[in-house]
Amino acid sequence: MSTPTPIRGYTASKDQLLARLRRVEGQVRGVEKMVDEDRYCIDVLTQISAIQAALDKVALGLLDGHARHCMHEGAAEGRADEMATEMMAAVGRLMKRG
């Protein structure tokens, strides 16, 4: 008997999340091509900034799903403090970038 796939905080928006990630992947390939073609540095940096912004949106969506689903579920299991600590550590890692 197989184990059922767990429901994650992003399960309801998984298709949208995957579409965003595919767009980011395309942007990264575009930057790779720009470097290969020796494009102007500032143009490459502008595209990298756009990629970072797109990834930030993905991360924010994941955090939202985690807060609304996973933390709610954890609180119901008596693990609210543990879940809050885990989420705040993830937020801290996202904010330290760069």
Side-chain angles (χ1 to χ4, degrees):
M1 193 183 304
S2 65
T3 305
T5 303
I7 296 174
R8 303 290 183 200
Y10 57 82
T11 298
S13 61
K14 188 174 182 177
D15 290 339
Q16 182 183 12
L17 175 64
L18 289 171
R20 278 187 189 268
L21 289 170
R22 280 190 287 277
R23 278 194 298 275
V24 169
E25 182 182 19
Q27 287 177 294
V28 171
R29 281 194 303 271
V31 167
E32 181 181 15
K33 184 177 178 186
M34 289 174 78
V35 170
D36 188 49
E37 294 172 351
D38 295 317
R39 298 279 297 272
Y40 186 57
C41 300
I42 299 303
D43 293 342
V44 175
L45 291 169
T46 299
Q47 291 307 309
I48 290 171
S49 179
I51 291 166
Q52 289 173 329
L55 285 173
D56 286 345
K57 283 186 177 184
V58 169
L60 208 55
L62 287 170
L63 282 171
D64 182 69
H66 184 72
R68 294 176 191 278
H69 173 79
C70 303
M71 289 188 68
H72 185 268
E73 197 172 83
E77 296 170 359
R79 300 183 307 127
D81 287 341
E82 173 190 342
M83 299 294 287
T85 299
E86 180 183 51
M87 183 169 152
M88 292 311 297
V91 169
R93 287 190 301 273
L94 285 169
M95 293 180 75
K96 277 187 181 178
R97 194 175 41 126

